Amino acid sequence: MTDLHVEPTGDHQRPFDCLVISDLHLGSDVCQARLLEEFLEWAAEQTRELVINGDIFDDLNFKRLSKRHFACLRSIRRHSDRDDLRLTWIRGNHDGAADVISHLVGVDFLDEYVFDNGEIRLLILHGDQFDHFITKYKWMTSIACGLFYVIQKWVPHRAARWIRRISKRFQRNSEVVRDGAVEYARSKSCDHVTCGHTHAPLESVIHGIQYVNSGTWTEHPPCPFVAVKGNRMWLEQWPLTDLQSASTESDQTKRATASGASDR
């Protein structure tokens, strides 16, 4: 985590250039929907661009969405028409043919996106295209997903999360996705790249290219997200710790200064 002084927000100045989250899995019983809704409301006032990097949904069976999950979608919809905020949705392997849904929530629906603030070129893509297991064994992946839905419903959430982590490690896809993303970023002349998909938060630099995996919002909090400011990209966590304290101190300082000026 990197310390950052949080500046006052306004129409032209925000603390972050871009924030990226991934693997929300709305519809899943282990989705951290309450925290996600809080984050979305916070992020809309703190950054110029917010990118949801794949797997907004666990699947397209919307009967599995709870009221809290729909509240997250409403938050995305509410902020999608703002002139001072760009919202982008990157396709994930769980999202299916979700371009119709993207119109409903009012965000751009892309396979990949390059964020460029003049100081870094950040390639943003979900990463499933580098996971050869799910592309080679689609039938096995489909069966495994079905079994996992049953596990989510009938066993404790801790066990469901453990099974998902073990399956990801068995596939060894964290390193595979990382290496594939770095090579692809090099081919796109990008010096930074971020993926999701693996559910494993990760930061590394390979051959001069910084790779960050934004993890998932189906694990116990704090939940990870990627922050970009100037020429820096790093992993942060929600609920905030250092940034939240800095923001509070900044607000207190401004109030004290205003109070002192009025006394004079």
Side-chain angles (χ1 to χ4, degrees):
M1 187 183 300
T2 303
D3 291 336
L4 176 70
H5 174 68
V6 177
E7 303 165 354
T9 60
D11 293 338
H12 305 290
Q13 188 177 44
R14 295 192 173 201
F16 300 98
D17 296 332
C18 183
L19 298 176
V20 184
I21 56 176
S22 69
D23 297 270
L24 315 182
H25 289 277
L26 295 174
S28 167
D29 290 336
V30 293
C31 171
Q32 297 290 335
R34 181 184 62 81
L35 288 178
L36 175 60
E37 184 183 5
E38 293 174 358
F39 171 83
L40 291 170
E41 292 301 310
W42 172 83
E45 304 302 327
Q46 301 295 323
T47 186
R48 289 188 287 273
E49 296 201 27
L50 174 61
V51 181
I52 304 175
N53 192 10
D55 288 358
I56 283 186
F57 300 110
D58 203 43
D59 60 24
L60 295 184
N61 178 8
F62 298 120
K63 293 181 180 179
R64 299 178 62 215
L65 296 176
S66 69
K67 291 182 179 180
R68 184 74 72 176
H69 296 166
F70 277 113
C72 294
L73 292 177
R74 284 195 298 271
S75 178
I76 295 172
R77 169 76 260 188
R78 185 166 59 253
H79 295 297
S80 64
D81 294 329
R82 293 173 52 164
D83 295 331
D84 60 345
L85 175 68
R86 175 173 180 173
L87 269 165
T88 303
W89 175 3
I90 306 298
R91 179 202 59 81
N93 56 296
H94 280 257
D95 294 326
D99 52 331
V100 175
I101 308 301
S102 73
H103 293 300
L104 294 178
V105 296
V107 298
D108 295 328
F109 183 67
L110 306 172
D111 287 329
E112 61 186 56
Y113 173 58
V114 175
F115 170 80
D116 190 340
N117 63 358
E119 298 188 61
I120 66 172
R121 280 176 52 84
L122 169 60
L123 174 63
I124 306 171
L125 69 169
H126 188 60
D128 58 296
Q129 54 268 68
F130 307 117
D131 185 350
H132 306 302
F133 186 92
I134 66 170
T135 56
K136 187 176 181 180
Y137 302 104
K138 292 182 179 179
W139 62 272
M140 188 180 299
T141 302
S142 178
I143 293 174
C145 287
L147 290 174
F148 186 72
Y149 296 146
V150 175
I151 291 169
Q152 284 180 306
K153 185 174 182 180
W154 296 108
V155 303
H157 289 186
R158 181 177 299 177
R161 292 187 176 96
W162 180 81
I163 291 170
R164 187 186 287 275
R165 285 196 297 270
I166 290 298
S167 69
K168 294 289 185 180
R169 290 171 184 170
F170 175 74
Q171 296 170 24
R172 295 182 61 82
N173 63 352
S174 288
E175 292 81 7
V176 170
V177 169
R178 178 199 64 192
D179 295 345
V182 166
E183 287 304 310
Y184 186 56
R186 185 189 305 279
S187 73
K188 304 280 285 187
S189 300
C190 293
D191 47 9
H192 296 71
V193 58
T194 180
C195 294
H197 182 61
T198 69
H199 290 201
L202 176 66
E203 292 185 84
S204 61
V205 177
I206 301 178
H207 304 307
I209 296 177
Q210 184 184 8
Y211 170 82
V212 176
N213 191 288
S214 50
T216 181
W217 286 65
T218 63
E219 298 287 347
H220 290 295
C223 299
F225 64 94
V226 175
V228 178
K229 175 66 175 180
N231 62 356
R232 293 181 296 143
M233 175 178 74
W234 69 97
L235 268 177
E236 268 295 345
Q237 294 180 328
W238 185 270
L240 297 173
T241 52
D242 295 342
L243 290 182
Q244 194 171 44
S245 299
S247 180
T248 301
E249 291 173 1
S250 177
D251 289 342
Q252 290 174 344
T253 300
K254 286 187 293 181
R255 286 196 295 268
T257 301
S259 176
S262 63
D263 291 342
R264 291 194 297 270

